[in-house]
Amino acid sequence: MSGKRSIFEEVSDTEKQQAVQPGMIDRGRGGARGAIRVWLMILFALVVVMIAVGGLTRLTDSGLSITEWRPITGAIPPMTEADWQSEFDKYKEIDQWRIQNQWMELSDFKSIYWWEWGHRQLGRLIGLVWALGFFGFLVARKIPTGWTGKLLIPGALGGVQGAVGWWMVASGVTQGEGMTAVASYRLAVHLGLAFVILGCLAWYIFELGREERDLMQARRAKEAKLFSLSTGLMHFAFLQILIGALVAGIDAGRSYTDWPLIGGQILPPDATMLEPMWRNFFESPGLVQFIHRCAGYLLFIFGVIVWRRGNTSAHPQTRFAFNAAFAALSLQVVIGIVTVVYAAPWQIAILHQFMAVVVWTLILRARFLTAYPVATSIRGA
């Protein structure tokens, strides 16, 4: 039985440890933050590969080689020569083959089929990785407090993306309508949604890279004006990505290969040849490429403004993030010009698309650090 203690008696080390318990904000909220972050990084990498494979599928004119949407049975490719011939016969029924590819033999068809099959198969893999990770962490009760709904979003968007992908392909699987490619509007929606998914994953990865208490403290130091500017830059970059998809959808990048002029003049010739007038802004190769160029110039100018403002931040990591984003944006402008001058060969075109992913991610990173600045001590600085 313990005796009475004096009010002046020192508390033992054990009792001190029991009394002082740091990290109470994170207690019961942490979950498997590190493991979930790794899972999201894997998903992020897979989506980047998906975007690249999708771009190559388009550049090789392979997207219409599979004329049906079979989410489950479509995972199994043709196994016999008869199966291959059956798929080829289905392809021969659509306008792309009748107008553009009647020269194809079965061996040629197989090469474009594998591109589209690989693209769809990668989509299935991403869905599987998301489902295994999400439900695995959910059953194990390792999802941090407040994160269940967040982690559902990429999975839900992925399901929508699969449907949008078929909606896009269906626009080109036509008979007697003269379509030899998918509708550029639908391609823009498909690519735009891919970047939305990528953005969600990137933001969650940034959040999970820091402890909850750190984020709560950092939020108080939010740089509101810089956050607004970076948000505007993010939206502008997204718009430019959508316009780029319109360019890709109608092969407008190969229409005019001179720069800085376009077709030897400031405005492209025959820019408004389509009726009604509004169609030219989406379907006229010269005008669409011109709009993409002008949007690129304006995005770069706005990028300079945001970059200079970003370098006034008191936080070294924030300044570095804006430097990185602006460097990537500058490189992207150069690659875009090279893409035009060389008539968009697939190697440069896919690099241009990949750099769009880099620019998008770095802008998001800079924006995140304006919302949650990393404090640096005087000694650390």
Side-chain angles (χ1 to χ4, degrees), residues 50-109:
M50 184 72 164
I51 291 173
V53 171
L56 288 169
T57 300
R58 182 193 59 79
L59 288 166
T60 56
D61 286 329
S62 304
L64 301 179
S65 56
I66 302 178
T67 60
E68 298 174 322
W69 190 37
R70 295 174 295 170
I72 305 300
T73 59
I76 303 173
M79 304 299 290
T80 66
E81 201 67 15
D83 292 338
W84 276 111
Q85 190 60 52
S86 175
E87 291 296 320
F88 191 25
D89 290 341
K90 294 174 186 176
Y91 178 66
K92 287 181 178 180
E93 295 176 1
I94 70 172
D95 292 331
Q96 187 183 71
W97 183 84
R98 294 175 183 274
I99 297 172
Q100 182 176 304
N101 290 334
Q102 286 197 30
W103 56 271
M104 276 190 173
E105 301 292 339
L106 182 58
S107 58
D108 302 306
F109 170 73

Side-chain angles (χ1 to χ4, degrees), residues 203 206 229-238 299 303 306 321-322 324-326 328-329 356-370:
W203 195 267
F206 299 152
L229 281 172
S230 57
T231 300
L233 185 63
M234 177 190 71
H235 289 152
F236 201 162
F238 185 72
L299 177 60
V306 177
F322 278 96
F326 181 68
L329 178 60
V357 172
V358 175
V359 172
W360 176 244
T361 305
L362 290 177
I363 289 174
L364 286 171
R365 175 64 177 168
R367 180 174 181 264
F368 177 81
L369 286 172
T370 64

Side-chain angles (χ1 to χ4, degrees), residues 130-307:
W130 174 83
L132 290 175
F134 177 79
F135 291 107
F137 288 120
L138 185 65
V139 170
R141 297 184 179 180
K142 294 296 184 181
I143 297 179
T145 302
W147 274 86
T148 302
K150 287 184 177 182
L151 297 180
L152 266 173
I153 292 174
L157 291 178
V160 173
Q161 180 71 312
V164 169
W166 171 247
W167 175 65
M168 177 189 69
V169 170
S171 67
V173 181
T174 60
Q175 298 177 11
E177 298 179 22
M179 292 290 293
T180 60
V182 300
S184 59
Y185 313 91
R186 300 188 186 191
L187 175 63
V189 174
H190 191 50
L191 183 63
L193 185 53
F195 272 83
V196 169
I197 294 171
L198 204 65
C200 285
L201 292 172
W203 195 267
Y204 296 162
I205 290 168
F206 299 152
E207 285 189 327
L208 290 170
R210 291 160 67 178
E211 295 293 339
E212 186 71 24
R213 62 178 179 275
D214 180 26
L215 292 175
M216 291 181 67
Q217 292 171 353
R219 194 180 302 141
R220 300 170 186 169
K222 177 180 178 179
E223 299 177 280
K225 290 184 178 179
L226 191 51
F227 179 80
S228 296
L229 281 172
S230 57
T231 300
L233 185 63
M234 177 190 71
H235 289 152
F236 201 162
F238 185 72
L239 175 63
Q240 178 69 331
I241 289 166
L242 296 181
I243 298 172
L246 293 177
V247 171
I250 59 175
D251 275 333
R254 296 179 174 132
S255 301
Y256 298 96
T257 59
D258 53 332
W259 185 86
L261 298 178
I262 181 167
Q265 44 191 78
I266 296 177
L267 292 174
D270 300 323
T272 57
M273 59 184 178
L274 300 178
E275 294 290 343
M277 180 63 182
W278 65 266
R279 287 182 56 201
N280 292 282
F281 293 94
F282 302 95
E283 300 177 29
S284 171
L287 187 57
V288 172
Q289 188 192 129
F290 178 74
I291 292 172
H292 190 49
R293 290 189 187 193
C294 291
Y297 303 147
L298 293 174
L299 177 60
F300 179 76
I301 292 170
F302 187 51
V304 172
I305 295 171
V306 177
W307 168 61

